[in-house]
Amino acid sequence: MDVLDKIKGRLIVSCQALEDEPLHDSYIMSKMAFAAKLGGASGIRANSVKDIRAIKKEVDLPIIGIIKKDYPGSGVYITATEKEVDDLYQEGVDIIAFDATKQVRPDGKSFQGFFAEVKARYPDQLFMADISTLEEAVAAEKAGVDIVATTLAGYTPYSEGVVPLELLEQVISHVSVPVIAEGNMDTPEKAKRAIELGAHAVVVGSAITRPKLITEKFAKAIQNY
C-alpha cells in the first residue's frame, strides 16, 4: 500500500510547537505523535528535522515534513527555499510540503521556478502544495505537484476571509490530484464534512496539539459570558 492509500479518508495530526510555545520540544512532539497514533491518526505533519527524527522513534506513520523559517522581507516561511527541501529529503519523509502561494520567495523566485528545480532534483519524492486560493491550487497542479492542501486559506493577505471548507470544495472540483483539507479544521464536524466533500484526507493541528490555544478558546468564551 502506498502513502496516499494509507492516508485516504483518514485523519492526519499536525504535531508542531513554535519556539514561543511551552511545548516546544522534540521529545514532547514525539509523545504528541504517539498519542495521536493511539487516538487513530493515520499520519503526522511535523516541523523541523529534529522533531521528525524524534517522532520517527515513536510512530511508524507516514510523515508530512515541513521546515518553518522566517526570512526578512518574505511572507513565505513554510519550506521556503531549496535548502529546506534538501534537509527534509535527506532526513527521509514521505511527503514534503511547502508554501505554494503566489508570494515571492526569500530567494526572489516564484513558486513555479522554485518547484521546477526541486522536482528535477528529487523526481521520486511526493510533494504537497500548501495554497490559499483556487488560482494557486490550479497553478500548483499544473506545475506538477502530487497533492494540494488548503493549509494557507486565510493566512495570505489576499485570502483573508476565505472559508476553508468553501475553498476545499472549489479546489476539489477544479484539480485532479488528491486534495487534503487543512487549516481551521477545528471541529470533528468540519473534518467529517471535508471528507464528505471529497477531501483525500484531513489535517488537524491546533485543535488537538496546542493546549495553550485550546485553553484560550475556552477562557475567552467564559469571559465573554
Side-chain angles (χ1 to χ4, degrees), residues 150-167:
T150 55
T151 314
L152 293 171
Y155 291 101
T156 54
Y158 47 84
S159 68
E160 289 183 13
V162 169
V163 178
L165 280 172
E166 292 178 2
L167 176 61

Side-chain angles (χ1 to χ4, degrees), residues 123-183:
D124 298 324
Q125 174 67 51
L126 285 177
F127 289 107
M128 183 167 97
D130 290 341
I131 57 88
S132 68
T133 66
L134 174 60
E135 174 191 6
E136 290 166 350
V138 172
E141 180 183 40
K142 186 176 180 181
V145 303
D146 303 284
I147 308 161
V148 170
T150 55
T151 314
L152 293 171
Y155 291 101
T156 54
Y158 47 84
S159 68
E160 289 183 13
V162 169
V163 178
L165 280 172
E166 292 178 2
L167 176 61
L168 175 72
E169 190 169 14
Q170 294 171 357
V171 172
I172 288 170
S173 67
H174 283 82
V175 305
S176 57
V177 296
V179 180
I180 288 181
E182 182 172 4

Side-chain angles (χ1 to χ4, degrees), residues 68-132:
K68 287 182 176 177
K69 184 175 180 181
D70 288 319
Y71 284 92
S74 175
V76 176
Y77 64 94
I78 299 175
T79 318
T81 74
E82 292 170 41
K83 171 67 167 61
E84 284 81 33
V85 174
D86 291 343
D87 290 346
L88 289 167
Y89 182 84
Q90 294 304 321
E91 174 54 31
V93 296
D94 300 279
I95 298 168
I96 295 176
F98 42 68
D99 181 311
T101 67
K102 63 183 181 181
Q103 300 175 104
V104 177
R105 309 185 86 81
D107 52 14
K109 294 177 182 174
S110 65
F111 161 69
Q112 286 81 0
F114 157 81
F115 185 65
E117 294 190 17
V118 299
K119 184 65 175 176
R121 191 178 308 177
Y122 306 119
D124 298 324
Q125 174 67 51
L126 285 177
F127 289 107
M128 183 167 97
D130 290 341
I131 57 88
S132 68

